[in-house]
Amino acid sequence: RQWTSASVLGLLMLGGGYGLTAVVSFIAVVPAMVSLAQLPYGVRPGRAEWAGIALGLAGIVALSAGQGWSASTLGLLAITGACVTWSVGTVWAKHGLPGGRALALAPGAMGYASQMLAGGAMLVAASALAGEAPHWPTPASVDVRALACWAYLVVAGSLMGFTAYMVLLERAGAALASSYSYVNPVVGMALGVTLGGEVISAGEWAAAAVVLVGVVLLLRGNRPA
């Protein structure tokens, strides 16, 4: 039962959420989707949470205004699917399946690890179905930078990031846990300025401030009574 539950969440959150995600700010609709998906469970966001969701979306749209939204139809469908599957997986992990049936997951970190194992296996299978073939590089052809990027994603993206998300999901509201998707573009912008030498306009700084205010409202809306 635990592996079955891990496979369900792995399919939704790793297979769908990670597998379909492109690097676009459209992912910031996740908190709103999560809030809507929780309505059948009787979880209704308060005014501060709705205000935080609205401000976060407004700020992200303002940050993205200069990008032209020139993604292809297939790309938009893929990122929409990623947002939906991640949001559904988040709500099911928090509240169980529709009808009140809880998912039986292994306790502690093993539960998160089993989800990543199941989701990774599904991504490998999807890769094979898409016709991708494994490439076994020789030591001479290994790009050290690519290897370092892979190691960073394993440690920061999976071992730390996904685990931290699941722990926060257990201890806080689902809308608050998913607010990371507002913060990510702001962090990316800050890294672009400090490490990439990019120039940010006053309007983009103002949009980033709006995003952060939205996150603060989400935090206030999720404070213990």
Side-chain angles (χ1 to χ4, degrees):
R1 288 186 58 197
Q2 291 175 349
W3 276 111
T4 300
S5 298
S7 297
V8 169
L9 294 181
L11 173 63
L12 291 171
M13 303 182 75
L14 281 303
Y18 280 10
L20 295 175
T21 294
V23 185
V24 293
S25 55
F26 189 83
I27 198 74
V29 302
V30 165
M33 287 186 174
V34 166
S35 295
L36 292 175
Q38 289 188 104
L39 293 179
Y41 297 88
V43 180
R44 302 183 183 279
R47 293 180 180 179
E49 288 179 90
W50 279 123
I53 290 169
L55 276 176
L57 283 173
I60 291 300
V61 169
L63 275 177
S64 321
Q67 296 180 7
W69 292 91
S70 57
S72 66
T73 301
L74 183 60
L76 287 175
L77 289 175
I79 194 61
T80 301
C83 293
V84 170
T85 55
W86 183 268
S87 300
V88 171
T90 293
V91 173
W92 285 8
K94 179 71 175 177
H95 302 289
L97 298 174
R101 181 183 174 186
L103 289 170
L105 292 169
M110 186 56 70
Y112 316 140
S114 59
Q115 293 174 51
M116 286 187 275
L117 285 169
M122 293 172 190
L123 287 172
V124 171
S127 175
L129 290 174
E132 297 179 357
H135 173 65
W136 307 108
T138 62
S141 67
V142 172
D143 188 327
V144 176
R145 292 174 300 177
L147 189 61
C149 291
W150 173 82
Y152 173 80
L153 289 173
V154 169
V155 176
S158 297
L159 296 179
M160 296 175 62
F162 185 76
T163 300
Y165 180 80
M166 297 304 293
V167 171
L168 182 60
L169 187 58
E170 289 182 358
R171 302 182 182 182
L176 176 61
S178 60
S179 65
Y180 77 92
S181 59
Y182 289 155
V183 180
N184 280 1
V186 178
V187 173
M189 185 181 74
L191 290 175
V193 171
T194 55
L195 300 181
E198 298 177 0
V199 178
I200 303 299
S201 67
E204 288 171 320
W205 281 118
V210 171
V211 171
L212 293 178
V213 171
V215 174
V216 169
L217 287 174
L218 276 172
L219 287 168
R220 289 179 59 85
N222 281 271
R223 287 189 305 181

